[in-house]
Amino acid sequence: MTTPSAPPPNKPLSVPAKAMRKLGLDRDIDLALHLPLRYEDETRIVRLVNARDGEVVQFEGEVVYSEISIRSRRQLLVTVDDGSDTCVLRFLNFYPSHQKTLSVGARVRVRGELRGGFLGREMMHPHFKLAGGELPGALTPVYPTSAGLPQVYLRKAVLSGLARADLSETIPAPFLSQNMPQRMSSLREALQFLHHPTPDVALQTLEDRSHPAWQRLKAEELLAQQISQLQARRVRAAMRAPALKGSVLRGAQQPSLHAQLLESLPFKLTAAQQRVGTEIDADLVKNVPMHRLLQGDVGAGKTVVAALAASRCIDAGWQCALMAPTEILADQHFRKLLSWLEPLGIKTAWLTGSQKPKMRREMLALIESGEAGLVIGTHAVIQDKVKFKNLALTIIDEQHRFGVAQRLALRSKMTDDGQEPHLLMMTATPIPRTLAMSYYADLDVSTLDELPPGRTPIVTKVVNDARRDEVVARIQAQIAEGRQIYWVCPLIEESESIDLVNATQTHEDLSAALPGVGVGLLHSRMPVAEKKAVMSLFTDGVMAVLVSTTVIEVGVDVPNASLMVIEHAERFGLSQLHQLRGRVGRGAAASACVLLYSTGDAPRLGEVARARLKAMVETNDGFEIARRDLEIRGPGEFLGARQSGAAMLRFADLETDAALLAWAREVAPLILNQYPELAERHVLRWMGSKAEFLKA
Ligand code: ADP
Ligand code: MG
């Protein structure tokens, strides 16, 4: 069919070709696996009198009127009569060829969304062609596409990709038994059906992906994910890492660094910290690289666990790197670990993007010579220039903040003899355990399920923005008691500058309302040095109130802060709210979190926002929060967001398809063992070049 938006015929194909590449549609199989978003029904011709406004319909009729109107703006208006009623076709953009096809007396076939208009029923920019011709026997697929890639072009490409692709079975028949649809016996059938379903299909089963063809596809996808995880695990098991044993550093006569660090800590480890430490130690003494996720709620004390792991590594005579997502956080780790390790004679190097060239050169030299046992920094740690003498352990804090590529880069900082470093990832936004176990077959998980003693739970209140004054009064009371306060302003995605106004305004207002009180401002656009200066004024207690955008979100540790105010809390995600709240309640004083919300012009908050704020009031437990988050958002998005923004699964949904996931988990090792070639082909088919990434 001709569409007004179709490109003129002679346009070179390079634009769509580029767009296809961007969508990852490189191979025939990629095209075959590019499944429709929805379908259009061109298999039927309806009578206008039977069609309702709002429906997408196809009808045939005679053009009874055609004009180019120039009243409000130039447009082509064409009236078509199908014998039962008339419909006006309205085109704001059109070519002379449109006018020609749609000339009075012509019989045309038209498809579009019907709506009631000023001139009677009308369609805006409908598809049309001359009437007659065969009706297709299948629904017409509408594919996800992007700018510069017309649907018509994509349809053709998919069709030929589907015809050319190798769709031979990679799942041996015996494994296609339980949980697997019997009816859709081959991948080829399933794909052909999903691209061109017969019109008698119950559309609902395509939409909710419960149709056997969808089940088959989702099972295939989950199987590919499981096999690739198993492969990754095997590849890793075959790799070598330095076994971090003994105390080369101090010699056998003296207490190890690890023992000395434990001795010098101002607190006793919690049972959970001890247990997790033992789990990590058990990995480090092996000559296989560790691949462990340490999850623990905000404030659970992950830093000291990291420091103890680092000390094991340094004890054995190797270097350790610790990477954090923001400079503020890296700086804080640096100070803390420096204060613990320097007195014990360990040199720590510091690397960040903003440091002066001279300082940087000095640090690089310390790292290369091996003089620095520990290296702490931001992304700067993974740059090519950074050469370690003998890196054996890398620790990534707030790992979900890093992209997969960055994590791979850090892992590839191999030692000279080709060994891989051990990897410890830390996160405060835990993956619910069942999900972690079933989804990440190639990840060992340690969990800090206990907070250090003496913490009083944080009381969370949801307060309408109209009652801001009461909140300010509360701040005054806290300051009178010598406490400190965070006030966080939201990140508005569309405009960083509005953000700034927001935080700046709040800063001014609070400064005016609290005369004689030190009120600081921190936002992402400030030069790093200034950020650090403000942060240390707050850390040292000189400033009582810190107004900030979300730069303080991760990891900041100021135990004297006891009140967290979050403005426009309705705009934050649940795990982000929990992270922010975790900035308080770190000392013995009772702490509170105030979630200020505003409904804007609406009478009340939206459903999802309400569910999030409710969850915040009801629980302080990060695992419970993660569970609720999962419930509110669904696992696809939950995991997707964690993985550098790219969804890991295109089709399957870990919750609705739990049965398929269970099947995939069960058969993946069997297929990999008994049919290694099929397994290889299966993963390649589904993941192509992405397979490498999934292993990070
Ligand atoms: P997170 O897990 O969020 O990274 P931190 O490592 O920043 O938490 O620890 C939070 C605070 O708790 C820090 O001030 C830290 O020194 C303190 N802390 C950690 N472990 C213990 C413990 N076993 N007993 C008392 N305080 C602890
Ligand atoms: Mg932390």
Side-chain angles (χ1 to χ4, degrees), residues 354-426:
S354 69
Q355 92 201 123
K356 298 248 160 51
K358 178 163 173 284
M359 163 81 115
R360 185 180 188 79
R361 273 197 304 277
E362 280 171 27
M363 292 299 167
L364 288 177
L366 281 181
I367 298 167
E368 190 154 4
S369 70
E371 218 182 308
L374 179 61
V375 181
I376 298 179
T378 56
H379 300 76
V381 173
I382 50 174
Q383 274 150 17
D384 283 346
K385 288 232 181 68
V386 186
K387 300 265 185 297
F388 290 87
K389 176 166 178 255
N390 61 356
L391 178 67
L393 171 63
T394 61
I395 303 174
I396 306 183
D397 196 15
E398 308 293 345
Q399 62 93 21
H400 60 286
R401 287 300 194 97
F402 288 98
V404 176
Q406 289 162 330
R407 274 185 268 155
L408 278 175
L410 189 51
R411 266 173 81 186
S412 72
K413 292 250 169 233
M414 291 203 202
T415 52
D416 280 343
D417 50 3
Q419 301 190 93
E420 284 243 336
H422 297 279
L423 178 61
L424 177 65
M425 297 172 275
M426 306 200 289

Side-chain angles (χ1 to χ4, degrees), residues 323-346:
M323 186 162 82
T326 65
E327 181 140 359
I328 288 192
L329 188 54
D331 182 57
Q332 187 178 284
H333 281 326
F334 180 65
R335 288 173 195 221
K336 185 150 240 169
L337 270 70
L338 199 70
S339 76
W340 285 339
L341 295 175
E342 202 174 42
L344 305 176
I346 302 305

Side-chain angles (χ1 to χ4, degrees), residues 265-271 273 294-306 329 332-333 336 340 397-398 426-428 448 450-455 554-559 579 582-583 585-587:
L265 286 175
F267 47 75
K268 202 173 151 295
L269 293 187
T270 63
Q273 283 168 328
L294 168 58
Q295 48 180 20
D297 210 346
V298 257
K302 294 183 287 296
T303 316
V304 69
V305 174
L329 188 54
Q332 187 178 284
H333 281 326
K336 185 150 240 169
W340 285 339
D397 196 15
E398 308 293 345
M426 306 200 289
T427 182
L448 283 179
E450 177 187 0
L451 292 180
R455 306 257 169 95
V554 283
V556 175
D557 186 33
V558 179
Q579 287 256 346
R583 300 307 113 219
R586 302 194 147 223

